Amino acid sequence: MKKVILILGITTLGIFISGFSKEEKEVNYKLNFTKEVSFAPIEKEEESHFNYNFPFTGNSFNGFKEAIAFKESQGRYHIVNSIGYLGKYQFGKSTLKRFKIYNTQEFLNNPKLQEDAFIALCSVNKWILRKDIRRSVGKKINGVVITESGILAAAHLAGAGNVKKYLRSGGKYHFEDAYGSSIQHYLKQFAGFDTSFIKANKKPVL
């Protein structure tokens, strides 16, 4: 009888120790997992180019370009979409050639070049559309109040020529890209940002 009690006691103790060990492993695993998936940036990360991966709020020029970047690529520098548009702001190869950028792989790996190219394109579009900006800002077309930032965003989507046609037709000209985004949608979504930072320039140099 004493042997039976002793065996039962040892078995119970073994189960208890085993359960404690398993619980400890599970706790350690959970702690390690939490550490792996943490998205809170350290101070150095906040000061680096990684902050471009997140959209900014507010109506500053920085807010404008980050809002467009998030719409275009979710702020990712190295992405190429299904029809070959590249980078954070989804540039076409013909647009890059305009700025004498021919090496697309180098472009994808160079965040500063992508930022500079975006500003240069905004400058060109502002020069091409300077008369339309002056005539159209403050007017309402198809229920959308026209702003300079909306015009520049729409030009990034559709090209300055198509935006000119849209504005001069009073909104009758229709354009959608391969994914269904329209000039009207961009005019509305990106209205009201401060783009005075951009200077109209026919031939900006990177």
Side-chain angles (χ1 to χ4, degrees):
M1 184 67 178
K2 289 182 179 179
K3 287 183 178 180
V4 173
I5 294 172
L6 182 60
I7 291 169
L8 287 173
I10 292 171
T11 303
T12 303
L13 182 61
I15 293 170
F16 176 78
I17 292 171
S18 174
F20 180 79
S21 177
K22 183 179 180 182
E23 183 179 351
E24 184 179 24
K25 287 179 181 177
E26 287 177 351
V27 170
N28 287 337
Y29 173 76
K30 288 176 182 177
L31 288 173
N32 290 336
F33 180 75
T34 302
K35 186 177 180 181
E36 288 293 325
V37 300
S38 174
F39 290 103
I42 61 175
E43 187 175 347
K44 185 181 288 187
E45 288 175 334
E46 289 182 324
E47 293 174 353
S48 74
H49 71 266
F50 289 109
N51 61 4
Y52 291 135
N53 290 331
F54 302 94
F56 290 87
T57 57
N59 66 349
S60 66
F61 176 73
N62 198 51
F64 171 72
K65 71 185 186 70
E66 295 304 329
I68 288 181
F70 193 74
K71 170 68 175 175
E72 296 291 329
S73 70
Q74 293 186 326
R76 293 175 289 178
Y77 285 109
H78 302 98
I79 192 171
V80 180
N81 76 4
S82 60
I83 53 177
Y85 283 76
L86 304 112
K88 181 177 175 180
Y89 301 100
Q90 292 292 278
F91 279 88
K93 291 180 181 179
S94 60
T95 302
L96 292 179
K97 287 178 182 178
R98 180 171 195 159
F99 301 119
K100 298 181 180 180
I101 299 171
Y102 305 104
N103 188 328
T104 55
Q105 195 57 50
E106 181 183 340
F107 178 74
L108 288 171
N109 291 326
N110 191 332
K112 184 180 184 304
L113 183 58
Q114 292 190 36
E115 298 296 335
D116 290 345
F118 177 75
I119 293 173
L121 181 59
C122 286
S123 296
V124 171
N125 287 335
K126 191 167 183 176
W127 184 85
I128 295 171
L129 292 161
R130 62 196 184 282
K131 293 179 181 178
D132 297 276
I133 289 171
R134 187 168 60 249
R135 294 168 183 162
S136 301
V137 167
K139 293 181 179 179
K140 188 177 284 189
I141 299 177
N142 291 334
V144 177
V145 176
I146 306 302
T147 65
E148 181 179 285
S149 62
I151 289 174
L152 294 180
H156 185 81
L157 169 76
N162 284 317
V163 175
K164 187 177 290 189
K165 290 177 184 177
Y166 179 90
L167 294 173
R168 295 186 181 186
S169 70
K172 294 178 182 178
Y173 177 76
H174 184 72
F175 173 92
E176 285 187 359
D177 72 358
Y179 300 102
S181 294
S182 67
I183 289 174
Q184 182 175 319
H185 178 70
Y186 268 53
L187 286 168
K188 182 177 181 180
Q189 184 170 358
F190 299 103
F193 287 94
D194 181 5
T195 51
S196 60
F197 169 83
I198 296 296
K199 304 303 178 186
N201 190 340
K202 184 179 181 179
K203 295 182 178 180
V205 178
L206 297 183

